[in-house]
Amino acid sequence: MTTAHIALHTLGFPRIGLQRELKFALETYWRGERTAQELESTARELRARHWQHQRDAGLDVVSVGDFALYDHVLNHIQLLGCEAARFQFSGEDELTRYFIQARGRRNQEPACCGTAPSTNDISVYAAEMTKWFDTNYHYLVPEFTAETTFKLNSERLFKEIDEAKALGHTPKAVLIGPLTFLWLGKEKSENLDKLDLLERLLPVYGEILARLKTQGVEWVQIDEPILGLDLPAAWQSAFELAYNRLAHNRPKLLLATYFSELADNLRLACQLPVDGLHIDAVRAPEELNRVQDWLPAHKILSVGIIDGRNIWRTDLDAVLATLKPLAAQRGANLWLAPSCSLLHVPIDLETETRLDAEIKSWLAFARQKLIELNVLRHALHDEASVSGQLAASRAAIASRRASPRVHNAEVAARLSALPANADQRPAPFAERQQIQRAALQLPAFPTTTIGSFPQTGELRAARASFRRGDITQDAYEGIIRAEIAHVVKKQEDIGLDVLVHGEPERNDMVE
């Protein structure tokens, strides 16, 4: 039991809205059916609601800066004033520029309205998208050239801080760190080393932090998830340079890492001149003791103990066993949080009306995960005060572990009968590679595509007709087969070596 106050926070909250309000607001805005002011009004309503969810769950601070109309990396591109010169902006307002980068520029109409541009209409292509580390979230890739400069070029973050304060919340600002921002970008100039841009970038980060301090922000969460990667020595050294440069005239910094263990970067992360460190204790629980040993006692240790990437309830008993010794050692310098932003999970389990009671008892969405944090804090002070919540968690965990809906006895028996080396390849990679080459007869650098072919208007219309019952399943499947044949032929016509098919059948591409 600890008497110290353990703070709760989250690295981020889902943006889309409980009823996908942001998605629908964006689509109507792009179609010209909603004004920029109406879009921004929806965004403000969502932020206010999500901050209130955090406050209702007992969090000590609300996260500000994690919200984005489209992508949080794109927010930072505008904040840091490094929009790519190829977009040829000439006086457009910030929101128009934002969506031109996200969607491209059309020849005949601005990118802020109308339907998605066709390839014949596009005059400037949108920024490249790629996966955010090992998640299925995609971010817009910053583009860097030898001429790239940086400047504070957006007021959005600072206005959102004022919004949160006006609503009575204590804001914690959220920023992508300078090293991660550069790492996520792509060099567009020959022989450019993007790390060379750090000297130009750091003064802008210094200016941002100073502005946040004048607004009364006490804590800034500065995300550096690349500390979980195998970094070149020059990038490791750059962390010390950067954070020593940012050590003055700023709020307190909580350096946040997630998605991976710190491994060789653990000592570096613990010794940087920041005021706290967040680690992903779900992905790397074995590192907790090492971080506890290396992180100075006066610094905050934020433990990401609730999984921010899945929908399952937390085993609170197991987590408490991990946290009790840390709470005894750290006291008020221990914070609790989800492992990463809750962007990756649904918002509220209570709106699910079609799940049976057993399965529903196994689940926890964003709001429930924040409640779990609060239960853990109360349990660290006095387990008896939350005995009912702990018992419910215990029962749900036991139910899932024993349920035949999850565990198949026949499969378990077959697995137990496998030889010890069943998960090992019978031949080394070099030998398997030669067999594959002989069988497939591919060229040295085969070409392919990941699929994800765009949904056409005809496909959307056919799916809508099928759902209304206007066409039969055979007719609908015939349309799908025809579209698959079409995209396969297109790949053959342009000479791809490895073809993909089947994408038009994916229901998740309707939107």
Side-chain angles (χ1 to χ4, degrees):
M1 178 183 297
T2 178
T3 58
H5 178 76
I6 296 172
L8 307 180
H9 73 114
T10 181
L11 276 65
F13 197 82
R15 309 162 184 160
I16 196 168
L18 192 60
Q19 303 298 329
R20 298 190 294 171
E21 293 93 331
L22 181 59
K23 171 186 181 296
F24 297 126
L26 285 171
E27 290 174 346
T28 53
Y29 171 69
W30 291 335
R31 289 197 299 266
E33 300 168 4
R34 185 184 299 241
T35 66
Q37 291 74 22
E38 290 170 327
L39 174 63
E40 294 284 12
S41 176
T42 298
R44 280 193 299 274
E45 291 170 6
L46 289 172
R47 288 193 293 270
R49 185 192 309 167
H50 298 162
W51 291 332
Q52 190 61 46
H53 289 335
Q54 294 171 53
R55 186 170 182 171
D56 289 345
L59 272 62
D60 294 82
V61 292
V62 299
S63 295
V64 181
D66 59 319
F67 183 89
L69 290 171
Y70 197 87
D71 168 49
H72 63 284
V73 180
L74 177 55
N75 281 21
H76 281 71
I77 291 171
Q78 289 200 315
L79 174 66
L80 299 168
C82 56
E83 295 165 322
R86 70 175 179 86
F87 289 105
Q88 300 178 329
F89 293 134
S90 57
E92 296 91 339
D93 64 81
E94 183 175 330
L95 193 65
T96 298
R97 299 197 317 273
Y98 189 84
F99 287 118
I100 288 174
Q101 292 173 88
R103 307 180 74 230
R105 189 199 296 271
R106 301 184 68 179
N107 288 319
Q108 301 301 323
E109 60 181 301
C112 64
C113 56
T115 57
S118 72
T119 54
N120 294 329
D121 294 332
I122 294 172
S123 61
V124 178
Y125 284 91
E128 176 186 343
M129 297 183 76
T130 194
K131 287 191 175 183
W132 176 253
F133 295 87
D134 63 346
T135 74
N136 204 36
Y137 176 83
H138 286 66
Y139 72 92
L140 292 178
V141 179
E143 300 175 16
F144 301 131
T145 68
E147 291 74 38
T148 295
T149 58
F150 303 94
K151 63 179 179 179
L152 182 53
N153 203 42
S154 173
E155 292 293 310
R156 185 174 290 275
L157 173 63
F158 309 111
K159 289 179 179 178
E160 291 178 9
I161 292 290
D162 288 338
E163 278 180 38
K165 294 183 71 176
L167 292 170
H169 302 300
T170 301
K172 175 199 64 179
V174 179
L175 288 172
I176 298 173
L179 276 303
T180 291
F181 181 76
L182 289 177
W183 182 276
L184 295 174
K186 181 174 285 188
E187 295 104 332
K188 295 294 184 177
S189 292
E190 189 174 356
N191 300 322
L192 172 67
D193 182 348
K194 57 192 176 184
L195 188 56
D196 291 341
L197 299 174
L198 183 62
E199 289 287 345
R200 304 179 198 175
L201 179 59
L202 287 177
V204 184
Y205 270 86
E207 188 178 353
I208 293 167
L209 293 174
R211 278 279 301 275
L212 291 170
K213 184 178 180 180
T214 64
Q215 288 185 284
V217 173
E218 182 180 4
W219 281 96
V220 173
Q221 171 190 314
I222 192 157
D223 292 0
E224 293 283 13
I226 66 167
L227 281 166
L229 304 179
D230 185 11
L231 295 175
W235 284 80
Q236 290 178 319
S237 298
F239 269 94
E240 295 186 22
L241 180 152
Y243 283 90
N244 276 295
R245 194 78 59 83
L246 298 175
H248 308 289
N249 192 30
R250 59 161 175 77
K252 295 176 183 177
L253 293 185
L254 179 71
L255 185 75
T257 67
Y258 38 84
F259 299 153
S260 180
E261 63 180 2
L262 287 164
D264 292 340
N265 298 321
L266 186 146
R267 288 180 60 181
L268 170 64
C270 290
Q271 295 174 347
L272 287 174
V274 294
D275 304 279
L277 175 66
H278 171 89
I279 64 168
D280 188 335
V282 173
R283 282 294 182 92
E286 68 285 351
E287 285 194 340
L288 257 178
N289 288 334
R290 288 186 62 208
V291 170
Q292 165 64 10
D293 290 342
W294 279 103
L295 189 69
H298 67 275
K299 290 188 178 183
I300 296 295
L301 172 58
S302 170
V303 180
I305 202 69
I306 302 290
D307 197 330
R309 292 182 57 170
N310 71 28
I311 57 173
W312 305 112
R313 288 184 75 144
T314 303
D315 184 341
L316 297 182
D317 287 331
V319 168
L320 280 172
T322 298
L323 292 178
K324 285 177 180 177
L326 288 173
Q329 294 167 335
R330 288 269 162 185
N333 284 344
L334 176 67
W335 288 10
L336 303 183
S339 58
C340 60
S341 171
L342 296 174
L343 170 69
H344 312 284
V345 298
I347 294 178
D348 192 354
L349 180 63
E350 294 307 311
T351 62
E352 299 294 328
T353 59
R354 298 183 183 180
L355 294 174
D356 67 57
E358 182 183 38
I359 290 180
K360 194 170 182 178
S361 75
W362 300 344
L363 303 178
F365 293 175
R367 293 194 68 183
Q368 287 70 43
K369 289 177 184 290
L370 297 184
I371 292 169
E372 286 182 323
L373 283 178
N374 209 353
V375 172
L376 288 169
R377 175 167 63 185
H378 282 289
L380 288 170
H381 287 289
D382 177 13
E383 283 194 40
S385 67
V386 287
S387 58
Q389 294 96 317
L390 292 175
S393 170
R394 199 172 294 128
I397 296 297
S399 168
R400 182 171 171 234
R401 284 176 178 163
S403 174
R405 304 169 83 168
V406 177
H407 304 282
N408 187 309
E410 181 182 345
V411 173
R414 285 161 51 198
L415 285 173
S416 64
L418 290 174
N421 63 347
D423 60 342
Q424 303 296 315
R425 301 275 191 176
F429 171 74
E431 184 178 331
R432 301 196 313 272
Q433 187 180 51
Q434 294 302 318
I435 295 171
Q436 184 186 63
R437 286 174 176 170
L440 299 179
Q441 293 292 304
L442 292 172
F445 299 99
T447 56
T448 188
T449 174
I450 62 168
S452 298
F453 299 107
Q455 290 280 314
T456 65
E458 291 81 2
L459 279 176
R460 291 191 181 95
R463 184 169 286 118
S465 295
F466 175 60
R467 286 174 174 168
R468 290 194 304 267
D470 296 341
I471 61 174
T472 65
Q473 182 166 343
D474 286 344
Y476 173 63
E477 291 181 355
I479 294 170
I480 295 295
R481 283 193 294 270
E483 181 63 17
I484 292 173
H486 170 71
V487 296
V488 167
K489 185 175 186 305
K490 292 284 285 186
Q491 294 173 79
E492 291 174 335
D493 290 346
I494 62 176
L496 293 183
D497 299 300
V498 180
L499 311 183
V500 298
H501 64 85
E503 287 289 337
E505 294 182 80
R506 288 177 49 188
N507 287 331
D508 62 337
M509 294 186 65
V510 176
E511 308 299 349

